[in-house]
Amino acid sequence: MAASGGSAEARAAAQAATEAVPEYGFFIGGRWEAAAETMPVKHKYTGETLARVGVASREDVRRAVDAAERAFREQRPSPRERAAWLLRTAELIEAHREELGRLIAREAGKPLKEALTEAGRAVNTFTVAAEEAKRIAGELVPIEADPGSEGRFAFAMRVPIGVVAAISPFNFPLNLVAHKVAPALAAGDTVVLKPASATPLTAIRLVELLSEAGVPAGRINLVTGPGSPVGDYLVADPRPALVTFTGSAAVGEQIKARSGLKRVTLELGNNSPNIVHGDADLDLAADRLARQAFLSAGQKCISVQRIYVQRPVLEPFLERLERVTSQLVVGDPEDPATDVGPMISEREAERVEGWIREAVEAGARVLAGGRRRGALLEPTILLDVTPEMKVVCMEAFAPIVTVTPYDTLDEALRYANDTPYGLQAGIFTSSLEVAMRAARELEFGGVIVNDSSAYRADLMPYGGVKGSGIGREGPRYALQEMTELRTVVFNLAK
Ligand code: NAP
């Protein structure tokens, strides 16, 4: 906080503390620029200030878009060159995996084990994007089939869309940035990136590595600062052809409303249901569901939040779920043994604590957890919940899970679909028929059989229906969003 009104000593101490941490500005047109105003980035477990990053002005954002637009107009890198930078970036991420993992652990509070996994996934995302850069094609159009088009020849080719405005969330500070930047660069687009204010340091490091990998000046630009107004400036600028956003539904809706004729891809929230049918492997289900409800402190868009269990297996399932949960180590994200670290802020943990309290007052029972210490919320299992409780009907984004029994599959599918969201759902069953019914009837972008809703491979199409968004990520699919089809018609019968 600014030391206005405090003593000179206090101001000096604050100043000294400020100078002790690294300070980052913006990356525009291939150069780092100092920022006139900065804001702190905190360690999410210790609270220490890790660094200060710039707060971009409207003018800074305008210059970043200028640089991206100029690079798009002036450079025409070949697919081979684009693939080479992306592959080199993957190698650099691999070489700096420990460093990136620790940075994620510190600024996001994500346990080191998972942070290292995230860094490994980013290596893969860049590698897959590099491969896809070489496969961008188009198709022949059988135009002569149209009356009056005899003697013509046509094809539709994929061309880069232009400047991409990429706005990313806090929960995967590396890999969700990779899912925007890597396919955009593969497509031949240029990028202005605005990472989450809670976790900009990993994105800043990634931009340094992209530059080191040979990405030419202006193709990747970075501005930081609060979503409102910095993200707003970016969305309001008429020049980006695409806004690719991952974050909350509320912000996603605002972006869509403000982005005019730009293409928009929105990867939003979820409230993931998971069904444990009576014929499921209960050990597998309990292990996968407990871990994927609580790892990353439940702050994954596809975290397990609602579990529906067929009544005859409810008790044995709960016994297993509770056992796996009790084995999870909660605490310091930098400790290699930790499974569940802090939430992104104490305020967020207090919010969910309030939801738990409200549910309990309305009759819910806490089977495990429920207590909070600062930003650390214990992995919490809630029983006897009802559909209108916030812990059931809203996205918790926290280490909590609700368990509800059901009798018939029809009932389970109805419960699962009873949400405005539609990102991913999971079902555990040994019946092909049950699995296929779930695949057909669950209204989600992804249905995972015999693993939790939180399963994701970086190359698969990934995205939601209903309130979970528009468009798909996964490099091959993101490339469809990040390119345009240009139709070329030759008149051969002149
Ligand atoms: P958020 O608050 O919506 O923020 C996401 C990004 O948008 C941040 O960079 C934020 O900047 C920026 N932003 C905020 N207000 C803006 C505005 N008015 N205009 C433009 N940009 C703005 O989300 P979060 O808390 O970081 O992430 C959690 C949410 O993301 C959850 O709902 C989760 O489900 C969702 N998520 C979805 C996916 C998916 O693939 N579907 C993946 C991960 C997370 P500041 O940080 O400066 O506010």
Side-chain angles (χ1 to χ4, degrees), residues 24-26 28 34-39 53-64 192-194 197 222-231 233-234:
Y24 300 95
F26 315 118
I28 297 179
E37 192 192 337
T38 62
M39 61 185 189
V53 299
V55 174
S57 64
R58 190 188 289 273
E59 178 56 20
D60 294 322
V61 174
R62 192 188 60 73
R63 282 181 311 100
V192 179
L193 168 66
K194 198 222 77 74
S197 297
L222 171 134
V223 289
T224 50
S228 182
V230 179
Y233 298 150
L234 193 52

Side-chain angles (χ1 to χ4, degrees), residues 283 286-291 294 318-329:
D283 289 324
D287 185 74
R288 303 305 299 159
L289 293 174
R291 290 182 193 288
F294 303 132
L318 282 176
E319 195 185 293
R320 288 167 172 79
L321 187 73
E322 199 182 358
R323 189 167 60 238
V324 180
T325 303
S326 70
Q327 289 160 359
L328 297 174
V329 178

Side-chain angles (χ1 to χ4, degrees), residues 7-19:
S7 69
E9 289 84 344
R11 280 204 299 275
Q15 183 67 35
T18 303
E19 280 171 5

Side-chain angles (χ1 to χ4, degrees), residues 346-399:
E346 185 161 353
R347 217 175 90 209
E348 279 294 287
E350 279 169 359
R351 168 185 61 82
V352 184
E353 188 186 33
W355 288 17
I356 297 171
R357 198 179 320 116
E358 229 177 87
V360 169
E361 280 165 10
R365 189 155 54 91
V366 177
L367 181 68
R371 282 169 308 191
R372 179 182 69 80
R373 178 164 57 84
L376 273 181
L377 183 68
E378 287 177 353
T380 301
I381 304 173
L382 291 168
L383 309 178
D384 302 338
V385 292
T386 53
E388 61 290 344
M389 290 176 180
K390 288 191 184 116
V391 290
V392 176
C393 69
M394 292 173 73
E395 179 185 34
F397 221 56

Side-chain angles (χ1 to χ4, degrees), residues 112-171:
L112 195 57
K113 287 192 252 200
E114 280 193 276
L116 290 168
T117 302
E118 180 178 346
R121 284 182 57 187
V123 173
N124 188 38
T125 304
F126 270 93
T127 307
V128 174
E131 289 158 356
E132 293 297 339
K134 301 182 197 163
R135 294 185 194 132
I136 301 166
E139 60 189 39
L140 283 181
V141 180
I143 202 159
E144 283 186 301
D146 236 39
S149 287
E150 294 79 7
R152 283 171 165 76
F153 177 81
F155 57 89
M157 62 183 194
R158 289 223 157 253
V159 297
I161 195 167
V163 176
V164 170
I167 303 178
S168 57
F170 74 80
N171 63 329

Side-chain angles (χ1 to χ4, degrees), residues 39 167-172 176 194-199 225-233 235 245-252 254-255 258 266-270 299-302 344 348 395 397 421 423 456 462-464 468 473:
M39 61 185 189
I167 303 178
S168 57
F170 74 80
N171 63 329
F172 280 82
L176 288 183
K194 198 222 77 74
S197 297
T199 57
S228 182
V230 179
D232 287 330
Y233 298 150
V235 172
F245 169 81
T246 300
S248 60
V251 175
Q254 281 177 31
I255 288 179
R258 289 184 190 151
L266 301 172
E267 299 288 339
L268 309 178
N270 197 34
Q299 300 169 119
K300 283 183 195 159
C301 42
I302 40 183
I344 195 67
E348 279 294 287
E395 179 185 34
F397 221 56
Y421 290 114
L423 188 51
R456 178 181 184 182
Y462 179 79
S468 290
E473 289 198 334

